[in-house]
Amino acid sequence: MNNRLETFVKENRRSFDVMEPPMELWAKIEVELDAQQKLKQTIKKKPVKLYLWMSAAAAVVVVFALGWLYAGKIQGKDVELADVNPGYAQKEVHYAGLITEKRDSLAIFASANPELYKKFTADLVKLDEEYERLKAELPNSPNQTFVVKAMVKNREIQLQLLKQQLLIINQVDDYKRVNQI
């Protein structure tokens, strides 16, 4: 059957070529193609415009968020000791390091004298709470230098207390050794 169709097309080819579509049909096709191209262009433009609006909205949100965070940071700004007085800040850092060292030494003796260790740490906890209160008060204080001096004095007292506690523990250990002999 395919052979018949092919032969028919070959034999009548000229008659097929003679019949061309009317010019009105080509004009109608051209108008429809133009309309489709315009539709495609408007579709392409809308997402671009929407994208630009979304980008602008996102930029505005980011700017407001950064402004809000910056304003909040300025209002609740943490004041460091070094900002108020660098000399006192150095002392505080020095005392804090010694306090950590002495607390570690005290913790070693905790197993030998647990009751005494509990009493000693209770005193230190009170001083630590007072230090944290002063630290929280520092940003809003009208006299920040006074608060910084109090914070450094607190650290100094903690260090003296730890030294005394270690001395007491050493004396207790010496007393136990002497009485065991």
Side-chain angles (χ1 to χ4, degrees), residues 44-45 53 57 59 62 113 115 127 146 149 152-153 176:
K44 287 181 182 176
K45 288 181 183 177
W53 279 105
V62 168
N113 298 306
E115 292 178 18
L127 285 170
F146 180 77
K149 285 180 183 179
V152 172
K153 189 66 175 174
K176 285 182 181 178

Side-chain angles (χ1 to χ4, degrees), residues 132-146:
E132 291 302 320
R133 187 191 64 76
L134 288 168
K135 188 176 179 181
E137 183 182 333
L138 180 62
N140 302 324
S141 175
N143 191 353
Q144 291 179 335
T145 305
F146 180 77

Side-chain angles (χ1 to χ4, degrees), residues 4-5 30 33 46-47 70 81 83 87-88 93 103 111 129 134 142 155-156 160 164 168 173 177:
R4 278 188 185 172
L5 182 61
E30 190 176 329
L33 284 174
K46 285 184 181 178
Y70 182 71
L81 273 69
D83 296 339
Y88 283 120
V93 168
R103 281 185 181 211
S111 59
E129 290 171 354
L134 288 168
R155 290 291 195 201
E156 190 177 350
Q160 289 174 356
Q164 289 175 351
I168 290 170
D173 287 342
R177 265 189 265 134

Side-chain angles (χ1 to χ4, degrees), residues 105-178:
S105 298
L106 189 63
I108 292 170
F109 294 110
S111 59
N113 298 306
E115 292 178 18
L116 193 57
Y117 180 74
K118 284 181 185 177
K119 289 179 184 178
F120 287 165
T121 54
D123 293 336
L124 289 171
V125 166
K126 289 177 186 174
L127 285 170
D128 274 338
E129 290 171 354
E130 180 62 20
Y131 180 83
E132 291 302 320
R133 187 191 64 76
L134 288 168
K135 188 176 179 181
E137 183 182 333
L138 180 62
N140 302 324
S141 175
N143 191 353
Q144 291 179 335
T145 305
F146 180 77
V147 175
V148 169
K149 285 180 183 179
M151 290 170 72
V152 172
K153 189 66 175 174
N154 180 291
R155 290 291 195 201
E156 190 177 350
I157 291 170
Q158 285 184 40
L159 182 61
Q160 289 174 356
L161 180 64
L162 281 164
K163 285 179 180 179
Q164 289 175 351
Q165 291 171 347
L166 287 170
L167 182 66
I168 290 170
I169 287 176
N170 285 332
Q171 288 175 347
V172 167
D173 287 342
D174 288 343
Y175 179 75
K176 285 182 181 178
R177 265 189 265 134
V178 170

